[in-house]
Amino acid sequence: MPNRPLTTLVLLLTASSGACGRLAAQLPADAQPRVTRLVLPDSGRLVDGRAFALRIADATPRETLVVGARRTVRVARRVGRSWTTVVLPVTSEATVVTDGDGVVDLARTVPVSGSWRSADAGALLWSMQAARDTLAGELARDASTISIALLRRGAIVDTTTLRLVAPAPVVTRSVSLGEIAGTLVAPAGARRRPVVLVLHGSEGADSASVRDIAMPFVALGYAAFGVAYYTGGRPNSFPGVPTVFDGIDIRGLDRARDWLGAQPEADTARTAVWGVSKGGELVILAASRLRWPRAIVGCVPSDVMWAGFGRQTTDRERLVSWRDGETRLPAIPYIRYERVFMDTSVTARMVHDESRAAVPALARATRIPIERTRSPLLLVGGDRDQIWNSGAMVDAIATTMRRRAPRVPVDVLRFPDGGHGLCGPGTRPAPIFGAEDDPASIGTARARAAAWTRTVDFLARHLGPPRDGAR
């Protein structure tokens, strides 16, 4: 990726900011030149979860320009057996040609060259990669601030700043329902909005994280309930929610929906369930056993049930992930999962693949009978997923549905270059998902943006528009 224009961008950003405006102000009104400019909607604020838009206006028709962006992000990097967090400057850029009116709409314009090669405004954000210079000090350390510049023949002609913000104002309300808990988040003043139950992964949840995972759906206008079904012993967790992943009762989702039915912001007749990773496994299981979801989104899910975890067991004892009421559901036991933490050459995917292949009959017995569902499905998986083979598993789920429940709508997104981080808004740059030389990093960033766009469309199609319902 060329980096020289963005090096110039950072060096000149402070000095050039506002220069065009000052020059124009010194000229008579009838002599002011045509000033090429960047146009951001909503005063340069992007509510994380909504679509990004950027236009270039008042340029010369058919001229070549460079648009670039720069920010800092915090990324996790593995050093030996431990992980560390580093602050990384990242950049993106594209060379574009204006149309006959001197306009560029990044959502409609295919770049001539640069960090991305398709008509996609959001690519300015997700295609960012590690900067090749050492100018991080020129940037705000706040990762939610993005500097954008427009260059003509190497000189900056306009700059602007984009800020990623959370939806506001919102109402939040938390509840503990025994072994399940969570937080309802909704736009302030909302009444009877469609509601999305949001299920976290194996990392567990606390009172802050359930609110955070609900926010992107609130940005779209829905009421959202961040579900806590496992804490992993995290601080600031909900009391009563399991700290060991063993026999989690899927009927807790029924209790959550019942509670939501008494909240004025939620219309539980229009309820979707969205789950990521281990929550994706739960959402597929819920789809097979619950009748009320209007839509199901399984993001990097599993098609089988896996063993539980979180404490030492005896030789005869087996932890299972799930139960349905009093019935403990079968699970594939792991073959020495501790190798993932002891040997950097062993991935979680290797352990999942080996454990599944060890006893084929058990793999068949633990298959989730997804064909029982009548809920429309959106399935998202990646072939470069190093936690488990979500690409193959979403394909297996879809194949079962086509053969055994062909009337149920199923949308499948299987990304050859996608990793495990496919779930959520598409504003996350590639280095968050791995090393720069790893094809899965840019592949995951690109796929995540595409998956979020499809998720937005899927929810609108099956829940209806995210606005107040009849009282």
Side-chain angles (χ1 to χ4, degrees):
M1 179 186 73
N3 203 62
R4 180 54 52 190
L6 286 169
T7 301
T8 305
L9 179 161
V10 177
L11 288 172
L12 300 181
L13 194 54
T14 302
S16 65
S17 180
C20 294
R22 288 194 298 272
L23 176 63
Q26 295 171 9
L27 297 174
D30 58 355
Q32 287 190 2
R34 182 170 175 162
V35 178
T36 304
R37 57 197 174 91
L38 294 162
V39 181
L40 280 174
D42 299 324
S43 303
R45 293 162 59 88
L46 175 63
V47 178
D48 200 15
R50 296 180 188 169
F52 173 64
L54 177 67
R55 297 174 64 248
I56 300 168
D58 298 326
T60 302
R62 313 300 180 190
E63 76 165 318
T64 299
L65 301 167
V66 174
V67 60
R70 189 176 175 95
R71 68 188 288 196
T72 57
V73 293
R74 295 184 179 274
V75 299
R77 291 291 182 261
R78 188 168 186 171
V79 181
R81 294 182 182 179
S82 62
W83 289 84
T84 186
T85 300
V86 299
V87 177
L88 188 70
V90 293
T91 62
S92 64
E93 65 173 63
T95 300
V96 294
V97 177
T98 63
D99 64 16
D101 296 319
V103 172
V104 171
D105 181 347
L106 289 187
R108 299 173 180 270
T109 301
V110 177
V112 175
S113 63
S115 308
W116 72 96
R117 298 297 180 89
S118 61
D120 181 357
L124 190 69
L125 307 181
W126 63 253
S127 72
M128 288 181 168
Q129 299 212 38
R132 295 189 176 92
D133 52 62
T134 57
L135 299 171
E138 300 288 336
L139 293 166
R141 307 293 278 185
D142 179 4
S144 65
T145 302
I146 301 166
S147 301
I148 305 175
L150 182 66
L151 296 89
R152 176 187 288 121
R153 294 185 293 277
I156 293 177
V157 296
D158 195 19
T159 63
T160 189
T161 299
L162 175 70
R163 285 193 61 83
L164 295 174
V165 299
V170 298
V171 59
T172 62
R173 193 173 303 119
S174 298
V175 63
S176 292
L177 301 166
E179 294 182 7
I180 197 168
T183 297
L184 170 67
V185 190
R191 291 293 181 269
R192 294 185 56 76
R193 295 284 177 98
V195 61
V196 183
L197 271 64
V198 188
L199 309 181
H200 59 81
S202 61
E203 72 280 2
D206 56 34
S207 56
S209 66
V210 292
R211 184 180 187 274
D212 291 344
I213 62 173
M215 279 297 190
F217 300 94
V218 180
L220 303 176
Y222 297 104
F225 186 74
V227 179
Y229 60 89
Y230 163 71
T231 69
R234 293 166 61 141
N236 303 314
S237 300
F238 293 93
V241 176
T243 59
V244 174
F245 211 117
D246 180 45
I248 307 271
D249 188 4
I250 67 169
R251 295 295 165 179
L253 298 179
D254 286 331
R255 294 193 293 276
R257 180 175 180 265
D258 290 344
W259 179 83
L260 286 166
Q263 311 309 307
E265 297 85 3
D267 177 6
T268 53
R270 297 182 290 166
T271 299
V273 189
W274 180 98
V276 53
S277 191
K278 195 66 177 177
E281 180 183 333
L282 174 54
V283 83
I284 298 301
L285 181 58
S288 73
R289 290 175 177 258
L290 307 180
R291 292 292 171 258
W292 46 263
R294 285 275 293 269
I296 292 287
V297 182
C299 196
V300 293
S302 174
D303 64 330
V304 295
M305 295 174 283
W306 296 93
F309 50 86
R311 65 174 173 82
Q312 295 293 326
T313 60
T314 65
D315 290 341
R316 295 184 178 182
E317 184 182 18
R318 293 288 183 268
L319 301 184
V320 301
S321 288
W322 316 109
R323 75 179 198 272
D324 187 347
E326 298 302 318
T327 303
R328 289 170 66 85
L329 301 177
I332 297 175
Y334 291 118
I335 298 176
R336 296 184 57 212
Y337 198 98
E338 68 275 7
R339 290 174 293 166
V340 175
F341 309 108
M342 299 171 62
D343 184 347
T344 57
S345 68
V346 178
T347 67
R349 174 166 172 169
M350 293 177 184
V351 175
H352 279 101
D353 288 348
E354 180 183 347
S355 302
R356 182 169 183 155
V359 186
L362 184 56
R364 291 191 294 272
T366 60
R367 184 189 70 83
I368 300 170
I370 187 60
E371 64 274 13
R372 296 176 183 174
T373 190
R374 294 298 174 263
S375 303
L377 300 174
L378 172 61
L379 307 169
V380 181
D383 289 339
R384 290 185 181 267
D385 190 333
Q386 293 305 307
I387 301 299
W388 56 23
N389 193 351
S390 61
M393 290 194 287
V394 298
D395 199 51
I397 295 169
T399 298
T400 296
M401 292 299 293
R402 285 194 294 269
R403 291 175 177 173
R404 303 186 182 186
R407 295 184 179 180
V408 178
V410 179
D411 294 358
V412 185
L413 301 177
R414 182 177 181 177
F415 296 102
D417 289 332
H420 199 67
L422 296 175
C423 313
T427 53
R428 310 304 190 262
I432 287 179
F433 306 109
E436 186 176 8
D437 58 354
D438 182 355
S441 299
I442 191 68
T444 299
R446 181 190 299 110
R448 179 182 174 115
W452 183 250
T453 298
R454 288 284 293 273
T455 298
V456 173
D457 293 343
F458 177 82
L459 292 175
R461 192 181 340 138
H462 294 290
L463 296 185
R467 54 173 178 253
D468 291 358
R471 301 188 184 183

